[in-house]
Amino acid sequence: MLADNIFLKIANKQIPAKIIYEDDLCLAFHDINPQAPMHVLIIPRKVIATHAEISEVDRDLLGHLHLVAAKLAQQLGLQEGYRLVLNCKELAGQTVPHLHLHLLGGRAFTWPPG
Ligand code: 5GP
């Protein structure tokens, strides 16, 4: 069972976060438990619980999240590379029921992921 949607509370400013970017469609903030020197979460304002629930109406929104991720990666100094992660459902490690991209950088990453 996924936990409460804490990201909706962050988007609604009901709980604090280190927000580094906001627009009409999405926001980005530092992960509270970073897994790399740079670890930012990019979330849509729209509640989409898991990646499995995306639909055609989300096409532009999903593209927008990627464009924001690419711009933030440049602004955050990740020119040498970064990893984008999207965990879908519990088996993949998803804990918050609100679709989000992890933007990770500042170190080398191994493959396959754990
Ligand atoms: P998931 O495991 O769902 O892919 O990723 C959820 C992420 O949200 C985790 O990396 C976790 O550290 C982060 N997280 C959970 N609660 C909070 C919070 O209250 N604030 C922030 N900034 N990050 C959180």
Side-chain angles (χ1 to χ4, degrees):
M1 185 87 176
L2 291 172
D4 280 348
N5 188 352
I6 199 149
F7 291 171
L8 186 60
K9 292 180 180 146
I10 289 174
N12 291 335
K13 310 286 166 66
Q14 291 167 313
I15 62 164
K18 291 182 185 167
I19 296 172
I20 59 166
Y21 176 84
E22 287 192 81
D23 63 29
D24 289 349
L25 296 175
C26 73
L27 62 157
F29 50 90
H30 288 282
D31 196 293
I32 204 167
N33 183 23
Q35 301 302 309
M38 185 61 67
H39 187 171
V40 165
L41 301 168
I42 302 156
I43 71 165
R45 292 193 186 277
K46 176 180 176 181
V47 176
I48 303 171
T50 77
H51 186 265
E53 284 154 62
I54 61 172
S55 68
E56 278 296 327
V57 299
D58 301 315
R59 182 183 289 269
D60 286 351
L61 174 60
L62 294 165
H64 182 72
L65 296 180
H66 280 274
L67 289 171
V68 168
K71 278 183 196 157
L72 287 178
Q74 293 306 304
Q75 288 171 14
L76 295 169
L78 306 181
Q79 283 82 2
E80 288 186 45
Y82 54 88
R83 180 167 286 183
L84 282 179
V85 172
L86 197 165
N87 297 320
C88 180
K89 301 190 178 176
E90 290 96 329
L91 195 60
Q94 184 179 0
T95 57
V96 179
H98 189 119
L99 184 142
H100 50 283
L101 291 177
H102 296 256
L103 171 61
L104 298 140
R107 68 170 171 88
F109 296 95
T110 57
W111 194 263

